[in-house]
Amino acid sequence: MGLSLLCMMGFFLLSTVICGNAEAPPEPTVTLQPSTTQIYRAPPKPTVTLQLPWPQIYSGETVTVRCEIQGGEGAQWTYEWRTAEVNTPPTSNEYRISSAAESDSGEYSCRGRRNSSWTEWSDITTLKVTVPSKPTVTLQPPWTQIYSGETVTVRCEIQGGEEAQWTYEWRQGQKNIPETSNEYRISSAAESDSGGYSCRGTRTYMLTEWSDAITLTVSSKPKAELRADRTAVPVGGSVTLTCSVNPSSSSGWKYYWYRDGKSSEPARNEQISVSEGGLYRCRGGRGEPVYYTEDSETVWIDTTVSNRPVVTLHPNWSEIYRGETITVRCEIHGGDTEWDYEWEANSIRKPPNQNEYRINYASSLNSGNYRCKGRMKSSQHETTEWSDSVTLTVSDNEPCPVLTVSPSWLSPGASVTLNCEVEHPSAGWSFYWYKAVPDLKTFNYKSSSYKLLPDGSGTAQDSYIIHGQTHTAGYVCRAGRGDPEYHTDHSRPKFVWSADVHSAASLTVSPDRVQHFTSDSVSLTCEGNFTEWRVRKFSEDGRLSDCRRMTGSTCDINTSKSDTAVYWCESGSGEFSSAVNITVQNDGNGPILVSPVHPVTEGASVSLSCSLKTQKILSNVFLYHNEKLIQNDTRGELKISAVSKSDEGFYKCQYSGRESAQSWMSVKVISAAVSGADSSSSPVWLIVGLVCGVSLIIILLLLLYRCRQSKYSCFTRSIQSESHSPGSSTNHGVNQNETHEYGSLHPGTNNLSEYVMHVEDNRNGSDQHQDVTYSLIDLKNLQKNRKHHEPEQSAVYSEVKTGAAGKSSPAADAAVYSEVTLGSFPGQ
């Protein structure tokens, strides 16, 4: 067909040329069949295009898929589509999806047909429809904690929608922000910018979800904090400085360091080491432009020198007492450098910055550890190391010296040693010695009545010897030290007891027995040529007290268990009677032993019986002597017609299965002995055998000669209250070491050991308790004509040691008393 058309056109042109001016025939009309102006040798391959300019389609959006045949715009085409959709596709060149869904995702291709001719199928175009992702809000820089004045950008990001033309919506909490771009820039943050930020995107008619909120916290401008691991650079060492910005959750900081006002390069590490002294500070910075914190407080770093000071105490006592004076001194040795001093102390009262700190009146507030260092006056950065600490201990408890006397029971004329003991005895104490005189009105011992003993002022020795003691007396001591001198309180009075035969004081007990029932009425009467009397009591718990019901010279007691004690009489002028024991039976249904309260003279008769509170027991009584049964018949009492020394000891009774307490019965033994009128420090006791004629005279002359040569050699005597006998339920005096001190005693009291009969002999370092035997020695005036004089009636209780208490004799734990009646000795 194309060739025919060309031939016809050629023929027409040729006829026109040949005919010349001949009349032209009518012009022919050319038509195309089919009627199209575009003739294809082969139809082009269609192209499938999407109306939207982005490849990512979200559900709900409208999208048009178009089939385009290049050059065939005016032709009458019919289109055919191949899609993933089940519905019948259109025959036009556009396939419109009004509200895209994920089911619209798939491969799309098309072809065109004109008349009966089809183009090829287009290349496949893939359409993907997804649900739009949830936006994410991020911060740049990525710090949720920022500070006022900093710059931060809040950014909204939609995953997979980077090429889409999004419009953004912002809100801070529930407040909308007028910003449509994906970034919200805060140029100079303020605290009002704190809050949660969220965003969403929109395009065409589609909206994403709101993002999760990200919280931004804006705080006031921070201040850097500078710390040093020490305050001075040690010799040859360094100091580590640490700079930080709080709160510690903030990050991204660089640190800027300054020494003496000069800056340094920023360091990323928050720690630096320095070996030079100076005034240091730091600050932090971060971001672009750099945002700076406030400067830290300054830290002064010293450079130490080799000199190291020493803290000393003057005087150097490990413990001082309230009111004492002491000086704390800082000493720096070596060189002529002038120093300023600095002290560090954990006491409440701080020392001044001087090399000496004088404490004029110390108290516990001054207690603590003291150390010092020196700073060169010419270079304030140059300093010594800290000295070692010295501990100062100040006690608010005033020291109370303890006085002991030896012997505590003596014979007239003996020497007495006083010992005064203070805590920390090596701390420079001097000692003062006084005689204690009781106040005539109160019978108490007051410092106003203490009389300084001869040469008893400020002695360096802690002991003082009194020669030729002849009578009972009380003594006290105190100590002093320091400059000005600090004095302790006076010690409690301690007494030296003398059984002087000329003593004018005596004590009688009514009823005359050792043991009593509860609620018995007992009278203790003092006798002697004195107008003022006081009955003193030393109870089992170690308390010294006065009789509460004193009528004249008689003390009346309505007995109770607390009245078990040692009793004696004391006059206002210092005269003392001998002591007696009183025991109160606490068991109202049990028996008591009826025994004499005073010693029984050898050869005299005595009756021991057992009694109930309601009646005297007349039969079926068991009596024991030193724990040995001596009577178990129907007699109700034990009668001894002529007492001998062998009858002395502990007695108790038993009735109907109940036992009484034990009581000691003392026997005064009458025997011959020789002694001078002016006795030496202790009576020299002699055992005179019964010899006849010339032998007796020779023995007596030899004894007289020996006594003169030895100047009446003295034995140490001491009397203490007898202790509990093993198995005894009642205390007959109290077993106490002589040097034991009772805290419950008030000033002016005496230790029970002044009155007890039990002796602890420590003179040879032994702790063994010694048995004590007392015998009655009636000293006669042996004249050449052998005329006997009547003995004095006063008795002296002396100690005669018969063996260690540990021996298994029947009365091993018992004390045996004897009475010495002194007469005159010829030729004295």
Side-chain angles (χ1 to χ4, degrees):
M1 183 179 70
L3 182 59
S4 299
L5 179 61
L6 291 174
C7 289
M8 291 176 65
M9 293 178 66
F11 176 76
F12 174 73
L13 293 174
L14 180 62
S15 63
T16 301
V17 172
I18 295 175
C19 292
N21 295 325
E23 184 177 353
E27 186 178 350
T29 301
V30 180
T31 62
L32 294 177
Q33 198 57 243
S35 56
T36 178
T37 58
Q38 181 68 47
I39 306 298
Y40 297 99
R41 182 177 293 176
K45 187 177 181 179
T47 301
V48 176
T49 61
L50 297 177
Q51 183 185 10
L52 294 177
W54 44 76
Q56 180 68 56
I57 307 300
Y58 294 106
S59 59
E61 287 191 290
T62 297
V63 64
T64 298
V65 185
R66 180 173 294 157
C67 187
E68 297 178 349
I69 301 174
Q70 189 170 0
E73 290 80 359
Q76 298 296 318
W77 294 95
T78 300
Y79 294 87
E80 185 179 354
W81 292 89
R82 284 195 301 197
T83 70
E85 201 170 296
V86 207
N87 298 327
T88 303
T91 58
S92 64
N93 68 328
E94 289 186 349
Y95 179 24
R96 183 178 178 82
I97 304 173
S98 299
S99 181
E102 289 185 86
S103 60
D104 293 316
S105 298
E107 297 176 343
Y108 287 80
S109 62
C110 68
R111 67 178 179 175
R113 185 186 68 175
R114 188 174 63 180
N115 298 329
S116 59
S117 297
W118 292 93
T119 66
E120 293 184 61
W121 285 99
S122 67
D123 291 333
I124 294 174
T125 294
T126 301
L127 177 64
K128 184 177 182 181
V129 180
T130 59
V131 177
S133 62
K134 191 176 185 178
T136 302
V137 178
T138 60
L139 296 175
Q140 186 61 37
W143 306 320
T144 59
Q145 172 69 62
I146 64 172
Y147 300 95
S148 58
E150 279 196 280
T151 297
V152 64
T153 298
V154 188
R155 183 172 294 159
C156 187
E157 297 177 353
I158 301 175
Q159 188 72 27
E162 292 81 0
E163 298 179 8
Q165 298 298 314
W166 292 100
T167 301
Y168 295 86
E169 294 180 24
W170 289 91
R171 66 184 179 187
Q172 177 188 7
Q174 299 300 319
K175 181 181 69 173
N176 292 328
I177 300 174
E179 178 62 53
T180 58
S181 68
N182 69 324
E183 289 185 349
Y184 175 50
R185 182 177 177 84
I186 303 173
S187 298
S188 181
E191 292 187 25
S192 60
D193 293 314
S194 297
Y197 288 82
S198 58
C199 69
R200 70 179 177 179
T202 177
R203 69 181 186 184
T204 62
Y205 300 102
M206 190 274 301
L207 289 171
T208 67
E209 294 182 66
W210 283 101
S211 69
D212 292 331
I214 188 169
T215 301
L216 182 65
T217 302
V218 182
S219 301
S220 58
K221 190 172 186 178
K223 183 176 183 178
E225 181 182 357
L226 177 59
R227 300 186 306 275
D229 65 341
R230 62 182 73 186
T231 59
V233 179
V235 178
S238 63
V239 172
T240 299
L241 301 178
T242 303
C243 190
S244 61
V245 178
N246 286 322
S248 57
S249 59
S250 61
S251 58
W253 297 101
K254 295 180 181 180
Y255 297 93
Y256 299 80
W257 297 89
Y258 304 87
R259 174 179 173 269
D260 294 335
K262 299 176 182 178
S263 64
S264 65
E265 291 297 322
R268 291 192 177 275
N269 295 331
E270 62 181 9
Q271 286 187 343
I272 62 171
S273 293
V274 297
S275 56
E276 293 182 89
L279 194 63
Y280 286 85
R281 61 185 174 89
C282 70
R283 66 174 176 171
R286 69 179 182 180
E288 187 62 43
V290 178
Y291 173 82
Y292 294 101
T293 68
E294 292 186 19
D295 289 355
S296 70
E297 298 291 342
T298 56
V299 171
W300 181 283
I301 301 297
D302 292 318
T303 302
T304 56
V305 295
S306 58
N307 299 43
R308 188 174 188 180
V310 176
V311 175
T312 56
L313 300 177
H314 300 274
N316 188 20
W317 299 328
S318 59
E319 182 174 16
I320 66 171
Y321 298 94
R322 183 182 185 88
E324 286 196 273
T325 298
I326 193 166
T327 299
V328 186
R329 183 173 297 158
C330 183
E331 299 176 352
I332 302 175
H333 300 288
D336 298 327
T337 305
E338 292 188 359
W339 302 94
D340 289 327
Y341 294 85
E342 183 177 340
W343 288 90
E344 188 177 87
N346 60 1
S347 65
I348 294 179
R349 294 179 177 171
K350 303 298 182 184
N353 291 333
Q354 300 173 357
N355 70 321
E356 281 192 355
Y357 174 38
R358 183 176 175 86
I359 305 170
N360 291 316
Y361 190 89
S363 72
S364 58
L365 300 178
N366 299 113
S367 294
N369 297 319
Y370 291 79
R371 66 174 186 166
C372 70
K373 69 177 180 180
R375 186 180 305 279
M376 290 184 183
K377 289 187 175 181
S378 58
S379 175
Q380 288 295 297
H381 288 306
E382 300 292 323
T383 179
T384 68
E385 297 180 75
W386 284 103
S387 69
D388 291 330
S389 294
V390 169
T391 301
L392 175 62
T393 303
V394 182
S395 174
D396 280 339
N397 298 321
E398 296 184 1
C400 185
V402 177
L403 177 66
T404 57
V405 296
S406 179
S408 60
W409 195 280
L410 52 81
S411 294
S415 294
V416 177
T417 300
L418 310 180
N419 284 92
C420 195
E421 182 179 349
V422 185
E423 287 182 292
H424 311 296
S426 62
W429 295 105
S430 296
F431 297 91
Y432 297 81
W433 310 91
Y434 303 87
K435 184 174 182 180
V437 180
D439 184 89
L440 295 178
K441 294 181 180 179
T442 64
F443 282 82
N444 290 326
Y445 293 88
K446 299 180 179 180
S447 59
S448 59
S449 61
Y450 295 159
K451 295 181 180 179
L452 194 66
L453 292 173
D455 300 324
S457 177
T459 62
Q461 299 297 323
D462 61 356
S463 61
Y464 183 92
I465 298 176
I466 302 172
H467 298 283
Q469 180 71 30
T470 59
H471 58 279
T472 294
Y475 297 95
V476 297
C477 71
R478 69 170 177 169
R481 67 179 183 182
D483 183 18
E485 191 170 24
Y486 166 84
H487 293 99
T488 69
D489 286 339
H490 292 87
S491 68
R492 294 191 177 107
K494 297 300 290 290
F495 294 91
V496 178
W497 292 91
S498 173
D500 190 347
V501 296
H502 301 293
S503 174
S506 63
L507 172 64
T508 59
V509 180
S510 178
D512 184 13
R513 64 174 186 249
V514 175
Q515 297 182 21
H516 301 268
F517 292 105
T518 302
S519 300
D520 278 355
S521 294
V522 179
S523 296
L524 296 91
T525 302
C526 302
E527 297 178 354
N529 296 323
F530 304 98
T531 57
E532 295 288 343
W533 285 107
R534 183 65 52 91
V535 173
R536 291 288 174 94
K537 165 188 173 182
F538 200 85
S539 58
E540 287 182 305
D541 60 1
R543 293 181 179 274
L544 180 64
S545 59
D546 296 334
C547 175
R548 296 181 181 178
R549 297 174 56 192
M550 196 80 187
T551 305
S553 60
T554 299
C555 171
D556 295 313
I557 302 174
N558 191 20
T559 57
S560 65
K561 182 60 179 175
S562 63
D563 291 315
T564 296
V566 178
Y567 294 83
W568 68 95
C569 294
E570 182 178 334
S571 73
S573 60
E575 291 289 341
F576 294 80
S577 72
S578 59
V580 298
N581 284 312
I582 288 181
T583 301
V584 179
Q585 172 65 276
N586 201 35
D587 184 0
N589 298 320
I592 63 169
L593 176 71
V594 179
S595 62
V597 72
H598 291 294
V600 181
T601 304
E602 185 181 35
S605 63
V606 68
S607 176
L608 303 178
S609 63
C610 206
S611 177
L612 293 176
K613 188 173 182 65
T614 56
Q615 61 179 344
K616 182 177 180 180
I617 304 171
L618 300 177
S619 61
N620 298 324
V621 173
F622 295 87
L623 287 170
Y624 294 84
H625 178 215
N626 293 332
E627 298 293 338
K628 180 180 180 182
L629 181 65
I630 59 173
Q631 177 175 298
N632 60 353
D633 53 25
T634 59
R635 291 177 297 170
E637 61 181 355
L638 174 65
K639 290 185 178 180
I640 305 174
S641 58
V643 173
S644 66
K645 188 63 180 176
S646 62
D647 295 316
E648 191 172 61
F650 283 105
Y651 287 85
K652 69 178 179 179
C653 68
Q654 186 184 81
Y655 177 75
S656 297
R658 294 178 178 271
E659 286 187 352
S660 71
Q662 291 193 106
S663 288
W664 177 266
M665 187 180 77
S666 177
V667 177
K668 295 187 293 185
V669 179
I670 302 175
S671 60
V674 180
S675 177
D678 297 322
S679 65
S680 61
S681 60
S682 294
V684 179
W685 55 278
L686 305 173
I687 302 175
V688 181
L690 297 177
V691 294
C692 300
V694 177
S695 297
L696 178 59
I697 297 174
I698 293 173
I699 291 173
L700 291 174
L701 291 174
L702 289 174
L703 289 174
L704 289 171
Y705 177 76
R706 183 170 181 174
C707 183
R708 289 181 179 273
Q709 291 295 322
S710 64
K711 197 62 179 179
Y712 316 119
S713 302
C714 56
F715 296 90
T716 302
R717 268 81 166 140
S718 107
I719 295 182
Q720 295 180 334
S721 226
E722 59 193 61
S723 65
H724 284 289
S725 176
S728 172
S729 61
T730 304
N731 178 21
H732 300 272
V734 182
N735 179 14
Q736 296 289 347
N737 189 312
E738 247 189 6
T739 60
H740 191 82
E741 191 70 19
Y742 291 89
S744 60
L745 298 180
H746 54 75
T749 63
N750 194 10
N751 196 311
L752 179 59
S753 60
E754 302 295 346
Y755 317 108
V756 293
M757 301 296 185
H758 195 75
V759 177
E760 184 173 354
D761 187 357
N762 293 319
R763 280 170 291 178
N764 295 319
S766 171
D767 290 333
Q768 291 183 341
H769 290 230
Q770 304 294 327
D771 287 340
V772 181
T773 303
Y774 290 84
S775 61
L776 179 65
I777 304 176
D778 189 4
L779 300 183
K780 310 294 183 179
N781 188 3
L782 303 180
Q783 304 289 349
K784 291 181 180 181
N785 56 5
R786 302 176 61 86
K787 181 179 179 180
H788 293 275
H789 291 264
E790 292 296 323
E792 299 284 348
Q793 297 304 311
S794 298
V796 176
Y797 290 95
S798 296
E799 173 187 304
V800 181
K801 292 180 173 58
T802 61
K807 296 181 180 180
S808 58
S809 61
D813 295 290
V816 183
Y817 301 175
S818 67
E819 181 176 308
V820 180
T821 303
L822 299 180
S824 60
F825 195 80
Q828 300 299 314

